[in-house]
């Protein structure tokens, strides 16, 4: 085929525009099977051995590469997709955020249908398929930008659209060529684990990746298997779009081991909110089978009482977690792997094999961007001779229902277990029902606060009343996510942050998380008590 992007392309001496990158990536994605030609950006005249080769150019590999270059190291990053950035912009976080923003807009339309200036939306559907197409039409721009930025601004070397194979701890093979490096950084991510039940191969069964790659009809009745972030986020979108959605969850929602520090009051606000919006939720439920002649027709599950139930549907969405893609490295390098396939590393991201590092989803949960990016950076720092440790056990966390749900630090129950005197700053305060008070209200929840107060959100801060240190923050609402990144940092400082220091901060009123003004109301008190 005589197309300008056909075959292997060396772009090292070229400065492609954003439009050209977009076009190239589209072409390569469409023809990957038949063409598969690599995209090469390689400084062949540089005779230095690579300090590291990153296998996988997702969040981990790209950020590790950038840091290595910043420290004047030489790196090569290889990805089997024709772009850098990995699963986040291609199939995971970015579509998730598009769908979650749609869920929030649609939810507002439903609650305010026929009120104020809102049109009648009572029985209206929004097309899931159409939004998937919107995502597909736009996702290449992020890919194009990352290729451009990595080459033109971050001076990285890369080979894209080509799978890499490890030969030994210093040698990687790609497109028939072998490259030597002082170190190898493994960052090839994870893949959905399907539940071990019959019917997962039927037409009409999707996960987050196949949803965007393969959906070709409009779902009208959905069953979700799983009870964590993916289940809640995608389920909330499907329901808000007008596709009646049932969640079949083994653990109570948000009580899975993969989510830590979830406060029970926050959890109940989120789950009750999902039920209020018409979702059906079965907890303590085991999926038994997905059934249908040529495509999905029903899901059979065993409920909490052990009774088998049948849920008719034309769409099944799997949110049962992911397993690291570690098999190749275990076989070839003998890297040590844990029970769920995760490559075991220390806080420098070193595996048991000298000069081999592993990062991101490949080392298991939490499978979050901060961990992938910072893991890449940590490996790079150590490779460049700077001893650096990254502890990812505690971190600020979030998910979306139709709300943005954010939390950091200890839940109330965890704090009561570990400390003698706990004070809670909460809105609505304990003992006041959320339909009795139009608070919290702030950006994003003003309409709810004035017209449907029980929907305006929930927030809680947990304080050690003896040391006055803030131990945890929990929020359901809109627009507080940024604050949680900084709250996490303040809480981790030596000495942390006290309620009095919170009260000294200058708030931008009406700020969504309100913790500053509420802390100030308590700050003058010698002995702290609930607010
Ligand atoms: C639905 C969903 C939504 C999410 N939303 C969020 C969110 O909002 N916020 C958040 O923090 N996290 C979110 N995550 C998690 C986040 O996407 C991951 O933690 C992150 O993308 C992991 O980055 P990584 O670099 O480890 O792996 P990836 O980004 O998956 O990169 C791995 C790369 O390796 C490449 N590769 C694999 N094998 C080879 C090979 N043999 N040769 C060459 N290349 C190879 C792949 O092509 C891929 O580009 C979400 C996850 C899911 C599933
Ligand atoms: N930051 C974000 O907003 C975001 C968004 C989406 C995804 N992610 C990340 O992406 C990863 C995947 O998310 P996820 O929600 O799919 O996975 P997850 O957090 O690992 O949760 C898996 C869910 O599936 C259930 N499950 C697992 N195996 C099952 C089986 N065989 N049968 C029935 N239920 C089963 C689990 O139940 P049990 O509790 O009973 O085990 C749990 O509810 C996570 O690491 C997550 O952090 C992040």
């Amino acid at each position: 085929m005589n197309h300008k992007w056909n075959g292997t392309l060396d772009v090292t001496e070229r400065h492609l525009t954003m439009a050209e990158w977009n076009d190239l990536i589209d072409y390569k994605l469409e023809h990957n099977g038949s063409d598969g030609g690599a995209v090469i950006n390689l400084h062949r005249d540089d005779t230095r051995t690579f300090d590291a080769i990153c296998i996988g150019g997702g969040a981990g590999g790209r950020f590790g590469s950038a840091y290595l270059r910043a420290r004047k190291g030489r790196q090569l990053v290889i990805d089997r997709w024709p772009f850098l950035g990995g699963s986040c912009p291609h199939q995971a976080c970015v579509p998730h955020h598009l769908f979650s923003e749609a869920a929030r807009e649609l939810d507002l339309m439903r609650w305010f249908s026929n009120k104020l200036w809102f049109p009648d939306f009572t029985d209206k559907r929004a097309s899931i398929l159409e939004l998937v197409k919107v995502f597909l039409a736009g996702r290449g721009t992020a890919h194009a930008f990352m290729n451009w930025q990595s080459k033109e601004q971050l001076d990285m070397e890369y080979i894209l659209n080509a799978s890499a194979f490890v030969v030994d701890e210093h040698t990687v093979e790609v497109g028939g060529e072998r490259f030597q490096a002082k170190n190898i950084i493994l960052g090839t991510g994870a893949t959905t684990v399907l539940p071990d039940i019959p019917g997962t191969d039927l037409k009409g069964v999707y996960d987050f990746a196949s949803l965007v790659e393969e959906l070709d009809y409009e779902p009208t009745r959905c069953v979700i298997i799983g009870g964590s972030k993916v289940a809640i986020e995608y389920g909330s979108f499907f329901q808000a779009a007008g596709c009646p959605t049932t969640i079949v969850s083994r653990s109570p929602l948000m009580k899975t081991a993969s989510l830590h520090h979830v406060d029970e009051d926050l959890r109940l606000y989120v789950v009750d909110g999902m039920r209020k919006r018409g979702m059906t939720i079965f907890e303590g439920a085991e999926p038994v089978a997905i059934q249908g002649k040529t495509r999905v027709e029903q899901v059979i599950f065993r409920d909490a009482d052990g009774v088998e139930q049948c849920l008719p549907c034309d769409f099944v969405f799997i949110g049962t977690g992911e397993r690291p893609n570690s098999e190749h490295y275990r076989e070839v390098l003998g890297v040590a792997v844990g029970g769920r396939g995760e490559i075991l590393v220390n806080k420098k991201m070193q595996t048991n094999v000298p000069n081999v590092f592993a990062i991101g989803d490949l080392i298991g949960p939490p499978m979050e961007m901060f961990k992938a990016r910072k893991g890449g950076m940590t490996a790079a720092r150590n490779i460049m001779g700077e001893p650096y440790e990254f502890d990812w056990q505690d971190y600020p966390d979030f998910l979306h229902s139709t709300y943005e749900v954010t939390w950091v630090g200890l839940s109330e129950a965890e704090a009561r277990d570990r400390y003698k005197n706990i004070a809670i700053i909460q809105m609505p305060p304990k003992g006041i029902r959320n339909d009795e008070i139009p608070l919290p209200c702030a950006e994003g929840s003003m309409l709810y606060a004035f017209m449907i107060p029980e929907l305006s959100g929930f927030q809680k801060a947990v304080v050690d009343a003896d040391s006055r240190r803030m131990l945890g923050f929990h929020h359901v609402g809109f627009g507080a996510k940024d604050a949680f990144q900084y709250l996490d940092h303040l809480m981790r400082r030596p000495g942390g942050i006290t309620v009095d220091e919170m009260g000294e901060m200058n708030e931008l009123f009406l700020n969504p998380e309100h913790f500053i003004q509420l802390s100030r109301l308590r700050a003058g008190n010698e002995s702290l008590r609930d607010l």
Side-chain angles (χ1 to χ4, degrees):
M1 202 194 306
N2 194 17
H3 187 280
K4 64 175 172 173
W5 304 131
N6 197 34
T8 300
L9 296 169
D10 191 328
V11 296
T12 317
E13 299 300 328
R14 296 174 67 179
H15 299 282
L16 301 188
T17 63
M18 214 63 69
E20 285 173 321
W21 270 123
N22 236 312
D23 195 39
L24 182 158
I25 292 165
D26 277 354
Y27 180 86
K28 291 290 186 192
L29 281 175
E30 215 172 297
H31 297 85
N32 201 28
S34 58
D35 173 357
V39 179
I40 297 172
N41 170 39
L42 199 59
H43 304 158
R44 290 193 186 272
D45 50 352
D46 189 337
T47 52
R48 291 176 298 161
T49 308
F50 292 109
D51 292 289
I53 295 180
C54 299
I55 305 188
R62 198 173 95 92
F63 274 69
S65 288
Y67 213 86
L68 221 127
R69 288 294 299 135
R71 291 290 159 105
K72 305 219 177 335
R74 187 172 186 215
Q75 54 65 240
L76 172 63
V77 56
I78 305 168
D79 204 285
R80 63 182 168 162
W81 279 331
F83 54 84
L84 292 168
S87 57
C88 170
H90 198 52
Q91 296 170 333
C93 329
V94 176
H96 140 215
H97 276 79
L98 176 67
F99 300 152
S100 292
E101 187 166 311
R104 166 188 173 163
E105 294 289 323
L106 290 163
D107 190 51
L108 191 71
M109 296 284 288
R110 294 207 181 280
W111 287 106
F112 286 89
S113 174
N114 284 321
K115 296 192 174 90
L116 300 173
W117 56 87
F118 288 86
D120 179 14
F121 204 65
T122 329
D123 298 317
K124 292 282 192 314
R125 286 274 339 243
S127 168
I128 296 168
L129 182 59
E130 193 179 359
L131 200 58
V132 166
K133 286 183 178 160
V134 166
F135 170 68
L136 288 177
R139 75 174 168 183
T141 53
H143 300 342
F145 177 70
M146 286 195 232
N147 284 6
W148 177 86
Q149 184 193 56
S150 303
K151 180 175 185 296
E152 308 295 341
Q153 295 191 315
L154 301 172
D155 309 321
M156 286 182 203
E157 294 181 63
Y158 51 70
I159 300 179
L160 305 177
N161 212 37
S163 289
F165 301 91
V166 173
V167 178
D168 59 39
E169 57 266 46
H170 293 291
T171 318
V172 174
E173 185 168 315
V174 54
E177 192 173 350
R178 288 191 174 188
F179 295 89
Q180 295 290 316
K182 295 177 194 164
N183 301 278
I184 294 180
I185 304 177
L186 308 174
T188 42
T191 312
T192 297
V193 200
L194 297 174
D196 187 17
I197 55 171
T200 53
D201 55 347
L202 277 173
K203 174 108 185 85
V205 180
Y206 293 86
D207 72 348
F208 69 94
S210 56
L211 178 78
V212 295
E213 302 299 347
E214 294 166 21
L215 187 74
D216 57 2
Y217 67 103
E218 191 59 49
T220 65
R221 186 165 284 272
C222 172
V223 173
I224 297 192
I225 301 177
S228 188
K229 290 184 176 179
V230 168
I232 294 172
E233 287 167 342
Y234 284 71
S236 297
F237 165 55
F238 301 148
Q239 178 72 30
C243 172
T245 296
T246 300
I247 294 191
V248 174
S249 178
R250 217 161 49 176
S251 314
L253 287 197
M254 291 181 77
K255 269 199 163 177
T256 177
S258 57
L259 296 185
H260 69 347
H261 305 318
V262 174
D263 186 85
E264 185 60 7
D265 290 331
L266 169 138
R267 191 185 82 80
L268 289 174
Y269 188 84
V270 173
V271 177
D272 288 350
M274 290 165 68
R275 288 204 167 98
K276 254 191 198 120
R277 287 158 173 85
M279 289 177 85
T280 308
I281 299 168
F282 292 98
E283 297 177 318
E286 281 286 341
V288 172
I290 303 169
Q291 296 177 336
K293 285 188 203 77
T294 55
R295 51 180 307 124
V296 161
E297 289 169 26
Q298 58 189 24
V299 170
I300 310 293
F301 74 100
R302 201 171 298 112
D303 69 18
D305 300 321
V307 179
E308 271 196 15
Q309 296 205 37
C310 167
L311 298 167
C313 58
D314 60 4
F315 179 58
V316 174
F317 187 78
I318 306 285
T320 48
E322 293 182 84
R323 189 181 167 88
N325 301 321
S326 59
E327 204 51 29
H328 173 58
Y329 313 117
R330 204 176 53 75
E331 281 168 12
V332 177
L333 294 171
V335 290
V337 163
R340 287 171 295 178
E342 75 280 13
I343 294 186
L344 302 176
V345 293
N346 62 17
K347 288 182 181 171
K348 293 180 175 175
M349 319 311 294
Q350 291 164 319
T351 68
N352 62 315
V353 179
N355 304 110
V356 177
F357 295 73
I359 55 174
D361 288 0
L362 190 57
I363 64 166
M367 295 188 185
E368 302 288 339
M369 288 295 281
F370 86 94
K371 177 174 132 273
R373 289 170 168 173
K374 253 181 107 172
M377 187 186 90
T378 303
R381 286 173 100 140
N382 284 291
I383 286 168
M384 294 312 292
E386 179 193 350
Y388 180 84
E389 296 197 336
F390 169 34
D391 183 350
W392 57 91
Q393 296 313 310
D394 272 312
Y395 49 93
D397 209 352
F398 82 98
L399 57 76
H400 291 102
S401 56
T402 45
Y403 295 102
E404 174 198 279
V405 183
T406 33
W407 65 99
V408 63
L410 300 182
S411 67
E412 181 177 344
E414 288 170 330
R416 289 195 189 284
D417 273 354
R418 294 184 206 179
Y419 293 83
K420 268 205 321 274
N421 273 324
I422 291 299
I424 299 297
I425 295 176
Q426 185 175 303
M427 196 58 75
K430 285 183 190 288
I432 296 192
R433 288 198 324 270
N434 56 20
D435 59 346
E436 292 180 305
I437 182 175
L439 292 169
C441 75
E443 264 96 6
S445 63
M446 297 302 287
L447 282 172
Y448 290 127
F450 277 83
M451 293 181 70
I452 324 173
E454 72 263 33
L455 302 183
S456 67
F458 172 81
Q459 56 196 210
K460 178 191 280 191
V462 183
V463 193
D464 171 17
D466 293 328
S467 68
R468 305 175 78 87
R469 269 180 78 158
M470 308 302 294
L471 300 176
F473 297 95
H474 309 269
H475 183 263
V476 185
F478 307 100
K481 209 159 126 192
D482 276 356
F484 275 68
Q485 302 171 123
Y486 305 115
L487 287 173
D488 171 61
H489 179 76
L490 292 171
M491 285 170 67
R492 283 166 184 276
R493 292 184 312 178
I497 179 163
T498 64
V499 67
D500 310 289
E501 288 169 324
M502 282 290 294
E504 279 177 30
M505 291 164 79
N506 300 324
E507 72 270 44
L508 290 173
F509 195 67
L510 280 164
N511 54 322
E513 33 72 16
H514 289 296
F515 292 127
I516 298 172
Q517 54 152 329
L518 294 174
S519 296
R520 189 178 296 132
L521 285 174
R522 266 293 172 250
N525 280 263
E526 206 172 295
S527 65
L528 293 180
R529 60 196 166 88
D530 289 356
L531 184 76

